[in-house]
Amino acid sequence: MDKRRKWLAHVLEEGLRTGVIDPPDILRHATPAVLATDLPPALVARVLQAGIDGHGFDAHVVVESLGAEAIAEHIPLPVIWACIHETASVITAEHPLSQRGRGDGTEVSAPGAVQPDDVPDIEVLEG
């Protein structure tokens, strides 16, 4: 597995471990069609066996039976990025500095953030 996919495996693994990413978050992007198309037959068999042994299939069974490394290795990069991007978007939206207002009409922005009025006007001179 190349270093980019190893890094993605680590991100997924840590996200799952800490609860920042849940198995349904992954399978919202890595749909059954993606899994059936991109997983090697041995991994499909592993998922099927886990479902049979556990008497059912859900996102937790599928993700746990595959593991973050196999997901990162076989699922297309745009699908993995979509999952990570969605999670990052939720985290960012929940951050206090991301809130656009306080409910009292005042704007909230990060300390030192450049405001539109702070940007100098640029005049283009043709010569």
Side-chain angles (χ1 to χ4, degrees):
M1 182 174 5
D2 72 19
K3 62 184 175 184
R4 294 171 302 161
R5 287 188 178 266
K6 284 182 184 179
W7 180 78
L8 290 171
H10 179 73
V11 170
L12 290 175
E13 189 174 296
E14 284 300 302
L16 289 164
R17 186 185 67 76
T18 60
V20 173
I21 298 174
D22 289 319
D25 300 331
I26 295 172
L27 294 188
R28 192 168 26 262
H29 302 281
T31 63
V34 170
L35 297 175
T37 302
D38 294 300
L39 291 177
L43 288 178
V44 173
R46 183 190 303 174
V47 171
L48 290 172
Q49 190 63 53
I52 292 168
D53 291 347
H55 307 292
F57 293 93
D58 66 10
H60 295 274
V61 169
V62 173
V63 170
E64 187 176 304
S65 66
L66 288 173
E69 190 170 311
I71 292 169
E73 183 174 356
H74 297 289
I75 300 304
L77 290 174
V79 174
I80 299 169
W81 276 118
C83 174
I84 293 170
H85 180 265
E86 179 182 278
T87 301
S89 295
V90 169
I91 292 168
T92 302
E94 292 173 350
H95 193 279
L97 293 178
S98 295
Q99 305 304 315
R100 285 288 171 214
R102 299 180 186 159
D104 62 0
T106 55
E107 291 288 316
V108 177
S109 62
V114 176
Q115 300 300 316
D117 291 341
D118 295 339
V119 178
D121 293 327
I122 298 174
E123 184 178 341
V124 177
L125 302 174
E126 293 185 31

